[in-house]
Amino acid sequence: PVRERVRIVEVGPRDGLQNESAVIPPHVKAELVNRLTHAGMDIIEAGSFVSPKWVPQKDRSFGERMAGTADVLKQMHRQKGLHYPVLVPNVKGLENLLELLAQQPKDEVPYTDEIAIFTAASDAFCKANTNCTIEESLARLKTVTHRATKEGLRVRGYVSVVIDCPYSGKVDPVKVRDVTKALLEMGCYEISLGDTVGTGNPTTISELLETVIGGSSDISPSLLAGHYHDTFGMGVSNILTSLDFGLRTFDSSVGGLGGCPYSPGATGNVATEDVLYALRGSRFDAPGDLTKMAEVGSWISKQLNRTNASRVGKALEAR
Ligand code: HMG
Ligand code: MG
């Protein structure tokens, strides 16, 4: 039987490294992207064009860690046909990216063909993350999306805190549905649902997806992605649950890198190795070579002097 394709958006170089306390130089980030490419990842979120001046609470080096994405894009070996989305929070970030793209020699593989915009399903998180309410952020992002689309970039949208908000508690799935709809209407090709805090489980993820996809909402699961942080160890289970709802795209980080500066105690994204292992032998076909990905996870964990957060990666290391 033909195995059904699952897309993986490898977010380690952005979501993962954004939340590691060490400041990682662009050449190490570029090498991470190269190694991920070699291991078979075909969509790799490479960095962000957020404000280097933006300093969230208790995270003094945030801006410093986020600077240098232009250098990462220049230094990494870009491959034709692969995608390297970068986060853009506002028009200023988009302009910086467009300026960079305009400087590039025409015969090169473009630095990127995709941006990711982000908002949240709670005002409290939106304020902490981007200094504006959800409504203000949607207005801002509409301008960004229209301009980016006109420039030939495709736009992916993120909704954060789809289960719980670290500041205002439980989030109503109806709010997630409404924000998702608004992002699709402005022109995003896909919306990634972020369990930022990582408290979701198969029951709450099911309730969420029933609301976002079901009823009169008219949102096809093919337009959605699952972005699950693994704080409570539910990432893989939440992905398997989402597959039952028809989602076929998931975000994950090699080695389970990361955390979240706005979400105390939250750990990284579900590890890509764990997702690949969970899908092994199933009716789903995901990109990437598990053995090679585990090697990348071990390598980057060593670079960061951290414990490999992938259970599968650790198990394979011990063999
Ligand atoms: P603000 O302070 O309101 O911005 O921040 P501003 O427009 O008032 O500008 C302040 C200064 O920053 C100005 O400089 C701007 O030029 C500059 P000055 O005039 O003082 O010299 N500036 C910029 N510089 C470079 N690039 C830019 C930029 N924008 C302004 N793009 C802002 C508003 C949105 C910019 C800020 O809050 C910000 O950058 N936030 C980003 C926070 C972030 O990166 N969060 C992590 C990513 S989201 C995430 O991790 C969740 C996700 O993984 C899904 C999930 O798990 O839920 C995606
Ligand atoms: Mg995230």
Side-chain angles (χ1 to χ4, degrees):
V2 183
R3 294 170 78 210
E4 218 186 316
R5 187 90 178 141
V6 163
R7 289 165 76 235
I8 296 212
V9 179
E10 168 59 55
V11 296
R14 193 281 304 172
D15 204 352
L17 298 187
Q18 148 191 311
N19 298 310
E20 290 292 332
S21 52
V23 178
I24 298 114
H27 77 268
V28 176
K29 292 183 181 175
E31 183 170 354
L32 175 59
V33 173
N34 294 347
R35 286 178 186 245
L36 289 167
T37 308
H38 182 69
M41 291 292 117
D42 48 12
I43 311 170
I44 305 172
E45 207 171 64
S48 56
F49 284 76
V50 298
S51 172
K53 297 191 184 104
W54 184 249
V55 177
Q57 261 189 323
K58 299 193 210 103
D59 194 19
R60 307 313 300 178
S61 70
F62 181 80
E64 210 183 327
R65 292 203 305 278
M66 286 298 86
T69 294
D71 291 325
V72 178
L73 294 174
K74 283 179 187 169
Q75 289 171 27
M76 65 196 215
H77 303 305
R78 300 176 307 279
Q79 315 267 331
K80 220 178 156 148
L82 271 53
H83 300 287
Y84 309 104
V86 290
L87 256 61
V88 166
N90 55 10
V91 170
K92 171 95 185 159
L94 179 62
E95 278 170 353
N96 289 344
L97 173 64
L98 291 174
E99 206 175 298
L100 183 75
L101 288 169
Q103 289 163 9
Q104 190 176 19
K106 288 283 164 272
D107 55 334
E108 283 186 4
V109 177
Y111 292 135
T112 187
D113 62 357
E114 176 168 337
I115 64 165
I117 58 171
F118 51 102
T119 182
S122 84
D123 279 316
F125 190 87
C126 203
K127 276 253 177 208
N129 198 23
T130 52
N131 200 24
C132 63
T133 63
I134 299 170
E135 207 180 308
E136 287 161 352
S137 105
L138 290 173
R140 181 190 279 180
L141 296 176
K142 201 169 178 177
T143 314
V144 173
T145 301
H146 289 175
R147 176 100 183 264
T149 310
K150 226 168 75 193
E151 299 286 345
L153 296 166
R154 57 176 196 170
V155 183
R156 185 171 202 249
Y158 276 111
V159 184
S160 281
V161 295
V162 298
I163 302 289
D164 286 309
C165 169
Y167 312 109
S168 55
K170 193 167 167 23
V171 171
D172 184 354
V174 172
K175 189 73 207 175
V176 180
R177 182 192 63 196
D178 293 348
V179 176
T180 299
K181 252 199 148 135
L183 289 173
L184 286 170
E185 274 162 13
M186 71 177 70
C188 293
Y189 79 91
E190 175 174 274
I191 308 303
S192 180
L193 302 173
D195 178 10
T196 317
V197 203
T199 45
N201 71 10
T203 301
T204 50
I205 291 286
S206 296
E207 286 163 3
L208 169 74
L209 295 178
E210 268 157 24
T211 301
V212 174
I213 299 164
S216 57
S217 89
D218 233 17
I219 297 174
S220 159
S222 63
L223 299 172
L224 301 174
H227 178 106
Y228 305 137
H229 284 260
D230 207 23
T231 316
F232 283 79
M234 293 292 114
V236 165
S237 310
N238 293 341
I239 287 178
L240 297 179
T241 299
S242 305
L243 282 167
D244 288 342
F245 278 87
L247 274 69
R248 294 292 179 268
T249 303
F250 300 98
D251 305 350
S252 58
S253 276
V254 69
L257 294 176
C260 177
Y262 307 96
S263 175
T267 57
N269 301 88
V270 61
T272 311
E273 300 91 307
D274 296 13
V275 179
L276 294 183
Y277 189 83
L279 296 180
R280 207 153 81 156
S282 75
R283 66 185 185 89
F284 298 106
D285 184 26
D289 177 289
L290 176 58
T291 307
K292 285 185 186 163
M293 281 300 287
E295 283 165 12
V296 182
S298 302
W299 172 79
I300 190 67
S301 300
K302 281 206 191 82
Q303 294 293 311
L304 298 171
N305 206 8
R306 88 193 300 269
T307 319
N308 190 342
S310 164
R311 292 286 285 268
V312 169
K314 269 195 291 209
L316 291 174
E317 268 173 17
R319 293 202 157 197

